[in-house]
Amino acid sequence: MAQPKKRPVKGKRPPKGREDLGEEKKTPGKFQKAFFWIIIPLLFASAILLIVFEVTGTNIFEKAKDIAGVSQNEESNEINNKNYEEQIVNLKAQQQEKEAEIKSLQDQIDQQKITAKKERIEKRRLKKEIKKLKSGSEDETASIDSLVATYEQMRPKSAAPALVALKDEEAIAIMSKLKTETLAAILEKMSPDEAARFTTLLSVKKADNKNVTKTSTN
């Protein structure tokens, strides 16, 4: 007869077999994995480095200082480079300002040169005009002197109508330079009205000449 199967008791687990215990013991934990795969290789590498430094006579602490010094030097070099760049930017800005000032001054100088050149040209033109006026007045004076000499030689009867026919300015310019005797003889040959008019004009001219002479003397 077949024997009935035993039912497991509730709340109790069946005992583990030897195979299960072996498998549980063989499974390593996370710490063990980290120890075997990370810590041990690091310790091994450190030991090798210590041996190498010992053989080569390298001081670990000095080496660490050198590395720290190199990093500090690199940081200081970066800071210095930034400072140099800022200084270069400032110097370029100052240089541009100076160049702008120099250009402004150069423009002012050029403008002054142009103005001075225009003034020199204007002075030369005025000198030429004055020279022309002087030569014209000299020619006019010479012409009047020649006419005065001619009227001195003419008879009063012929000179009187000739002077009346001239413009008042021309007639007065000539009559003011005639000798007193010649002028009196010519005025006698004119009509009373013409003689009175020319006499008045001559008096005004003499007064004007006196005023001009006083002004120039003062």
Side-chain angles (χ1 to χ4, degrees):
M1 286 181 70
Q3 294 181 357
K5 294 182 180 181
K6 294 181 180 182
R7 293 179 179 179
V9 180
K10 292 181 179 180
K12 292 184 179 181
R13 297 178 64 184
K16 295 180 180 181
R18 291 181 179 179
E19 293 179 358
D20 295 336
L21 292 173
E23 290 177 358
E24 185 177 355
K25 289 180 181 178
K26 288 181 182 179
T27 302
K30 293 180 180 180
F31 178 77
Q32 289 178 345
K33 288 181 179 180
F35 182 79
F36 283 111
W37 293 102
I38 298 173
I39 296 174
I40 290 176
L42 287 175
L43 292 173
F44 183 73
S46 300
I48 292 173
L49 287 174
L50 289 173
I51 293 169
V52 171
F53 289 148
E54 186 67 24
V55 171
T56 57
T58 304
N59 192 337
I60 299 174
F61 299 104
E62 293 294 332
K63 193 69 175 176
K65 288 181 181 180
D66 293 338
I67 294 171
V70 170
S71 62
Q72 291 178 356
N73 289 331
E74 290 178 352
E75 292 178 357
S76 63
N77 289 333
E78 290 179 357
I79 294 171
N80 291 330
N81 289 333
K82 290 181 180 179
N83 293 331
Y84 290 150
E85 290 176 356
E86 291 178 356
Q87 291 178 0
I88 290 170
V89 171
N90 293 330
L91 289 173
K92 286 183 178 180
Q94 293 177 4
Q95 183 180 2
Q96 290 176 355
E97 291 179 357
K98 295 294 182 184
E99 289 177 352
E101 291 178 0
I102 291 170
K103 187 178 182 301
S104 177
L105 292 173
Q106 188 63 43
D107 292 339
Q108 293 179 7
I109 292 170
D110 293 339
Q111 187 63 36
Q112 290 176 357
K113 287 181 179 179
I114 292 170
T115 303
K117 186 176 180 180
K118 289 181 179 179
E119 289 178 353
R120 288 195 298 270
I121 293 171
E122 185 65 18
K123 285 180 180 179
R124 286 198 295 267
R125 189 185 68 80
L126 290 173
K127 285 181 179 179
K128 288 180 180 179
E129 292 293 331
I130 292 169
K131 188 175 180 180
K132 286 180 181 179
L133 291 173
K134 286 182 177 180
S135 66
S137 63
E138 289 174 357
D139 294 340
E140 185 178 355
T141 302
S143 177
I144 291 172
D145 291 339
S146 177
L147 289 173
V148 169
T150 301
Y151 278 96
E152 287 284 352
Q153 300 296 325
M154 290 175 65
R155 291 184 301 172
K157 187 177 180 179
S158 300
L163 288 170
V164 171
L166 296 175
K167 294 180 179 180
D168 289 346
E169 294 82 2
E170 296 174 351
I172 294 300
I174 295 169
M175 293 171 71
S176 63
K177 291 189 175 185
L178 290 173
K179 294 178 182 180
T180 306
E181 296 82 4
T182 305
L183 179 60
I186 291 172
L187 289 173
E188 287 179 359
K189 297 300 180 181
M190 292 181 182
S191 65
D193 293 336
E194 294 293 340
R197 186 169 65 83
F198 280 115
T199 301
T200 303
L201 292 174
L202 286 169
S203 298
V204 172
K205 183 175 177 60
K206 288 180 180 179
D208 292 339
N209 291 334
K210 287 180 180 180
N211 292 329
V212 172
T213 303
K214 287 181 181 180
T215 303
S216 62
T217 303
N218 294 330

